[in-house]
């Protein structure tokens, strides 16, 4: 094996020396045979002729020796690529149309897949995300799922389960008014139980997380800031730890700064404050108050989501028996956090439809290029016949045309990647106007899964649009093709039938594409602009928090709203 590898490198990188050795060896063999024939009484010219016949021809022997060398297939492919490049360069119009057509199809697929990769495939930025589950309430009477939980139910779930190491809860989407060192600012944040960060497995980059007694009566209020808020409001000053700020008019002490990208839910929180349950929050009557938007549990080692679902359903049944007034029709749903985030915004079906739609676009592009290659193959019939007549095998012709298709596919992939960069920017701009989408859009880019996807679809498209035309072009009959006007009626009919099949196929794909696009637009329009039951044109909704001490008194608040209106 090492000798074979050394021979391969020698044949590839010292080709001139190898060829010179072959020439010298054949010349020496020819001289020896010629001398032997001359000893038999033949003249020099006749002896040389007989020696050449016995050797089988110098060039023929060279080809046989080259065919047996290590690395011969690489040399053939390199030769095919050079010839294919020259051929495509001569047909610049055909090449440009084919590459642009393929580039548009690949760019559409790559752009949409970048969104799929970010939204559907990206794991949440937590430790061991497959073990982190979201536990939500389910109402059997209404058929509603993924609902908020009550504080008493959460405490019962935490005490009675045996599948989770720890559980934590959060009130998400809360708005806080932050004052102190700069202008008042409304900041989105969360109230979380003290063990929240330990459960998700992400701890502050600076400072500390919440302790069990943080936020209890008699204790100072504490807050943890997001990395973005720390950077924008405090200039990434590490000395901000321990400083006091005003949140909703109450004094808080900054105890921690989270690392970048701590976007566990559908938006990036700006700050976190402790969530402590009092006696009133845990009373039986409070089981009707479903205020906990997010309940997380980390599975024990070896436990599965299916086991967690079974056990939590049993816990819900016990609670329904003990508290029939509040828990009779309530159950529990357990999902991995990633599945919960996807299902909670109903994007799986939309993106699946988008992938199917752009997939049809790519198929139509492949059909168009295949039609161009079929027409080009008919125009090159004379060339193929000549090459067949001089000894080129059918496999050799197919390989040459597939290599040309690979060159088109490679150029289409590179052009498609450039177009997809612009496409991703446009998609970001479109999603930035949506509350949920803007958080995902910020991280969309050409990541490794997207690049692998683009490479895979490029290879598939090369096979789709290149193989069939190559096989048909290799079926050229040299005799008919070399005679001017030698096309037979059967071959002409066969080509016409193939073109007809491809045209019909493109029409079918186009109709399916239009239908899919119509359904997608209808679904998106229904989700983005549901029927409110009244005319919503020229109406705006805004939220104003008057938590500043300046607006504590009702007259001050009334005066403020009078000025705004």
């Amino acid at each position: 094996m090492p000798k074979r590898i050394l021979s391969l490198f020698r044949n590839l990188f010292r080709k001139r020396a190898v060829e010179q050795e072959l020439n010298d060896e054949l010349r020496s063999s020819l001289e020896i045979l010629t001398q032997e024939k001359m000893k038999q009484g033949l003249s020099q010219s006749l002896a040389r002729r007989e020696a050449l016949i016995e050797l089988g021809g110098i060039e023929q022997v060279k080809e046989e020796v080259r065919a047996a060398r290590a690395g011969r297939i690489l040399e053939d492919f390199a030769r095919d690529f050079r010839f294919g490049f020259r051929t495509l360069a001569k047909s610049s119009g055909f090449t440009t149309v084919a590459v642009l057509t393929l580039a548009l199809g690949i760019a559409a697929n790559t752009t949409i897949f970048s969104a799929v990769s970010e939204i559907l495939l990206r794991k949440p930025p937590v430790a061991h995300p497959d073990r982190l589950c979201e536990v939500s309430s389910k109402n059997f009477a209404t058929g509603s799922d993924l609902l908020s939980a009550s504080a008493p139910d959460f405490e019962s779930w935490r005490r009675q389960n045996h599948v989770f190491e720890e559980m934590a809860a959060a009130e998400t989407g809360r708005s806080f008014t932050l004052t102190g060192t700069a202008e008042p600012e409304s900041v989105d944040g969360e109230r979380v139980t003290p063990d929240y960060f330990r459960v998700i497995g992400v701890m502050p980059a600076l400072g500390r997380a919440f302790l069990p007694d943080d936020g209890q009566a008699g204790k100072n209020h504490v807050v943890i800031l997001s990395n973005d808020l720390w950077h924008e409001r405090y200039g990434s000053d590490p000395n901000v730890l321990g400083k006091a700020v005003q949140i909703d008019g109450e004094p808080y002490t900054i105890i921690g700064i989270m690392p970048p990208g701590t976007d566990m839910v559908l938006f990036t929180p700006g700050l976190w404050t402790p969530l402590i349950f009092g006696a009133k929050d845990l009373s039986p009557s409070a089981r009707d108050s479903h205020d906990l938007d997010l309940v997380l549990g980390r599975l024990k080692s070896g436990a599965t989501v299916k086991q967690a679902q079974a056990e939590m359903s049993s816990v819900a049944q016990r609670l329904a028996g003990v508290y029939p007034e509040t828990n009779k029709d309530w159950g529990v749903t357990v999902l991995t956090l990633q599945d919960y985030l996807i299902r909670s915004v109903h994007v799986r079906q939309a993106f699946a439809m988008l992938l199917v739609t752009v997939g049809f676009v790519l198929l139509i592009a492949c059909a168009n290029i295949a039609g161009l290659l079929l027409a080009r193959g008919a125009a090159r019939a004379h060339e193929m016949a000549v090459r067949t007549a001089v000894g080129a095998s059918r496999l050799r012709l197919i390989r040459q045309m597939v290599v040309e298709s690979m060159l088109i596919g490679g150029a289409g992939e590179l052009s498609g990647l450039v177009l997809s960069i612009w496409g991703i920017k446009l998609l970001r701009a479109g999603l930035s106007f949506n509350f949920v989408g803007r958080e995902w859009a910020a991280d969309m880019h050409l990541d490794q899964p997207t690049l692998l996807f683009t490479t895979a679809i490029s290879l598939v498209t090369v096979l789709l649009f290149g193989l069939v035309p190559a096989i048909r072009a290799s079926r050229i009959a040299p005799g008919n093709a070399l005679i001017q006007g030698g096309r037979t009626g059967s071959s002409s009919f066969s080509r016409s039938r193939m073109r007809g099949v491809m045209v019909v196929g493109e029409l079918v794909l186009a109709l399916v594409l239009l239908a899919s696009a119509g359904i997608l637009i209808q679904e998106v329009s229904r989700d983005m602009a549901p029927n409110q039951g009244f005319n919503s044109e020229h109406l705006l909704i805004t939220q104003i928090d008057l938590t500043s001490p300046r607006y504590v008194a009702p007259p001050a608040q009334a005066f403020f709203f009078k000025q705004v209106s």
Side-chain angles (χ1 to χ4, degrees), residues 318-344:
R318 289 197 297 270
L319 293 177
V322 177
Y323 305 102
E325 297 83 2
T326 56
N327 291 65
K328 177 182 177 182
D329 295 319
W330 290 88
V332 176
T333 298
V334 180
L335 297 171
T336 63
L337 181 61
Q338 184 179 21
D339 288 339
Y340 166 75
L341 294 177
I342 293 171
R343 283 186 53 183
S344 61

Side-chain angles (χ1 to χ4, degrees), residues 150 152 279-290 323 325-326:
S150 66
K280 183 179 179 181
D281 299 320
L282 299 176
S283 64
S285 60
R287 291 184 182 273
D288 267 340
S289 301
H290 292 255
Y323 305 102
E325 297 83 2
T326 56

Side-chain angles (χ1 to χ4, degrees), residues 117-430:
S117 176
E118 174 62 28
I119 297 174
L120 300 185
L121 303 181
R122 184 180 73 105
K123 297 289 186 181
V126 298
H128 307 292
D130 294 333
R131 291 175 53 197
L132 190 61
C133 296
E134 204 282 336
V135 185
S136 55
S137 297
K138 175 170 57 176
N139 191 289
F140 297 111
T142 63
S144 302
D145 201 359
L146 305 183
L147 302 175
S148 302
S150 66
D153 284 346
F154 165 69
E155 289 294 339
S156 298
W157 294 348
R158 180 158 58 177
R159 289 194 308 267
Q160 297 182 30
N161 88 86
H162 300 88
V163 290
F164 295 115
E165 292 178 350
E166 291 181 290
M167 295 186 72
E171 294 179 355
T172 64
R174 300 303 187 261
S175 180
F176 300 91
T177 301
L178 180 62
T179 57
T181 58
E183 292 296 323
E185 181 179 358
S186 179
V187 180
D188 291 328
E190 300 176 353
R191 298 177 64 209
V192 300
T193 54
D195 48 2
Y196 177 82
F197 296 108
R198 187 171 64 251
V199 171
I200 68 175
V202 179
M203 303 303 287
L206 293 176
R208 65 172 178 86
F210 296 132
L211 299 177
D213 59 348
D214 280 332
Q216 292 182 353
K219 296 287 185 179
N220 292 329
H221 297 309
V222 292
V223 63
I224 295 176
L225 306 181
S226 70
N227 194 274
D228 290 341
L229 182 62
W230 176 55
H231 174 73
E232 294 170 4
R233 188 174 179 90
Y234 300 100
S236 301
D237 181 10
N239 297 320
V240 75
L241 293 178
K243 289 188 176 180
V245 294
Q246 294 283 324
I247 298 179
D248 292 343
E250 297 288 334
Y252 279 74
T253 302
I254 301 174
I255 63 169
I257 307 295
M258 293 302 294
T262 312
D263 48 351
M264 285 296 307
V265 287
L266 303 181
F267 65 97
T268 302
L271 57 84
W272 293 264
T273 61
L275 174 60
I276 302 297
F277 303 123
K280 183 179 179 181
D281 299 320
L282 299 176
S283 64
S285 60
R287 291 184 182 273
D288 267 340
S289 301
H290 292 255
D291 298 325
L292 301 181
D293 307 292
L294 190 68
V295 175
L296 299 175
R298 182 165 291 279
L299 291 171
K300 293 181 179 179
S301 179
T304 64
V305 177
K306 186 176 180 179
Q307 292 172 344
Q309 177 65 69
E311 177 157 329
M312 295 307 295
S313 296
S314 298
V315 172
Q317 290 177 1
R318 289 197 297 270
L319 293 177
V322 177
Y323 305 102
E325 297 83 2
T326 56
N327 291 65
K328 177 182 177 182
D329 295 319
W330 290 88
V332 176
T333 298
V334 180
L335 297 171
T336 63
L337 181 61
Q338 184 179 21
D339 288 339
Y340 166 75
L341 294 177
I342 293 171
R343 283 186 53 183
S344 61
V345 291
H346 310 289
V347 296
R348 190 191 299 271
Q349 294 83 357
F351 277 104
M353 183 67 75
L354 274 175
L355 276 179
V356 171
T357 302
V358 296
F360 279 121
V361 171
L362 185 60
L363 286 177
I364 292 175
C366 290
N368 284 328
I369 298 174
L372 292 174
L373 288 175
L374 281 174
R376 190 165 181 263
R380 296 176 65 185
H382 187 270
E383 174 195 338
M384 296 298 153
V386 171
R387 297 182 67 181
T388 301
V390 298
S393 65
R394 186 181 177 192
L395 180 61
R396 181 74 176 78
L397 297 178
I398 293 175
R399 189 180 70 189
Q400 176 61 53
M401 297 196 71
V402 170
V403 166
E404 292 179 14
S405 300
M406 291 174 63
L407 288 171
I408 294 174
E413 179 183 2
L414 293 176
S415 303
L417 285 175
V418 173
L419 292 177
S420 66
I421 293 174
W422 296 335
I424 291 173
K425 290 182 179 179
L426 289 175
L427 190 60
R428 284 178 185 167

